[in-house]
């Protein structure tokens, strides 16, 4: 099955700092790749996705590029805000068929201070 | 625009009690799943379903049952609650665009 190794947290940054959260995965075939975000007390919501090699997903200033050669999908943001404080999860999804099974990393807690 | 609705939001059970966590989605998604979230463990898949009448086990299925009689509903049953089942439970559904939509979660405490 799929597996994910995600950068250990917690990560604490000052506002406007640069963010990188590393994610590498193992998977059969060519999975779709996702980053989900969980704000305090809420469920997960999709942040961005990429479905094939070299695709770049982007949303709310966050970006991640599907790197097939290094099996990585690192999350970046050039200038974080206090409102970005949350837990971030990297997750590959099975490719093909109707089994949309996600495998989650352990999550990275990000705290952004003013 | 309800999305995925989970009930209840909070529940306290005594060891040995049974209960059902409800999950409903209104997006006509074929795929539904249940996860539990524990500190330091991320989300672990309990059971999933690729359509009405079809269910399968995930990573941590012991102590849980599911059924899928309709496309909309995917209840999770705890047969005999144990303290190890204290967790936050999330239901999710996905359609052909592969984006997973999550419910708000059920925080379960077993005493």
């Amino acid at each position: 099955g799929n597996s994910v190794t995600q950068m250990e947290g917690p990560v604490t940054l000052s506002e406007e700092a640069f963010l990188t959260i590393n994610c590498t995965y193992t998977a059969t075939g060519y999975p779709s790749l996702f980053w989900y975000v969980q704000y305090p007390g809420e469920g997960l919501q999709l942040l961005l996705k990429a479905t094939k090699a070299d695709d770049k997903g982007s949303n709310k200033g966050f970006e991640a590029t599907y790197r097939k050669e290094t099996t990585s999908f690192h999350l970046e943001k050039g200038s974080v805000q206090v409102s970005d404080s949350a837990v971030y999860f990297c997750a590959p999804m099975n490719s093909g068929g109707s089994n949309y099974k996600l495998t989650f990393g352990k999550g990275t807690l990000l705290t952004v201070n003013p | 625009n309800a999305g995925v609705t989970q009930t209840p939001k909070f529940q306290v059970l005594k060891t040995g009690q049974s209960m059902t966590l409800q999950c409903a989605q209104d997006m006509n998604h074929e795929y539904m799943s249940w996860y539990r979230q524990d500190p330091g463990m991320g989300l672990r898949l309990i059971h999933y379903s690729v359509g009405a009448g079809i269910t399968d086990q995930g990573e941590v299925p012991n102590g849980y049952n599911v059924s899928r009689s309709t496309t909309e509903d995917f209840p999770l049953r705890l047969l005999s609650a144990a303290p190890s089942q204290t967790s936050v439970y999330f239901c999710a559904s996905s359609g052909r665009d592969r984006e997973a939509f999550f419910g708000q979660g059920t925080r379960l405490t077993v005493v």
Side-chain angles (χ1 to χ4, degrees), chain A residues 93-94 97-102, chain B residues 23 25 28-35 45-59 61 65-77 90-96 100-101:
Chain A
M93 175 184 277
N94 286 357
S98 59
N99 185 344
Y100 304 139
K101 189 185 298 185
L102 285 162
Chain B
C23 176
Q25 52 94 6
N28 202 33
H29 286 165
E30 291 298 320
Y31 184 83
M32 296 186 74
S33 53
W34 276 101
Y35 293 87
L45 182 64
I46 304 171
H47 285 286
Y48 64 96
S49 168
V50 299
I54 306 169
T55 63
D56 206 347
Q57 295 181 351
E59 183 183 352
N65 271 357
V66 291
S67 59
R68 185 93 181 272
S69 56
T70 66
T71 299
E72 294 78 19
D73 299 299
F74 191 45
L76 177 72
R77 296 183 185 84
F90 288 100
C91 177
S93 73
S94 300
R96 292 189 179 188
F101 291 83

Side-chain angles (χ1 to χ4, degrees), chain A:
Chain A
N2 298 346
S3 67
V4 179
T5 301
Q6 190 175 333
M7 181 172 151
E8 294 277 335
V11 174
T12 302
L13 296 173
S14 298
E15 206 164 26
E16 300 184 2
F18 183 84
L19 168 71
T20 299
I21 300 177
N22 290 337
C23 171
T24 57
Y25 65 91
T26 59
T28 54
Y30 301 98
S32 297
L33 300 174
F34 298 82
W35 277 99
Y36 280 84
V37 59
Q38 184 179 31
Y39 298 104
E42 298 185 10
L44 280 71
Q45 56 186 274
L46 179 66
L47 180 60
L48 53 83
K49 66 179 181 182
T51 58
K52 61 183 187 296
D54 300 324
D55 266 3
K56 178 185 284 187
S58 61
N59 186 27
K60 299 181 181 179
F62 290 89
E63 293 183 339
T65 301
Y66 191 142
R67 300 290 187 199
K68 180 170 170 287
E69 64 278 9
T70 55
T71 62
S72 64
F73 193 53
H74 305 321
L75 182 69
E76 295 182 337
K77 186 174 186 181
S79 176
V80 294
Q81 305 300 312
V82 172
S83 58
D84 294 326
S85 298
V87 182
Y88 293 81
F89 293 92
C90 180
M93 175 184 277
N94 286 357
S95 60
S98 59
N99 185 344
Y100 304 139
K101 189 185 298 185
L102 285 162
T103 301
F104 286 93
K106 293 186 177 181
T108 302
L109 173 61
L110 170 67
T111 301
V112 180
N113 295 319

Side-chain angles (χ1 to χ4, degrees), chain B residues 34 62 76 89 101 104 109:
Chain B
W34 276 101
N62 292 341
L76 177 72
Y89 292 84
F101 291 83
Q104 291 293 299
T109 302

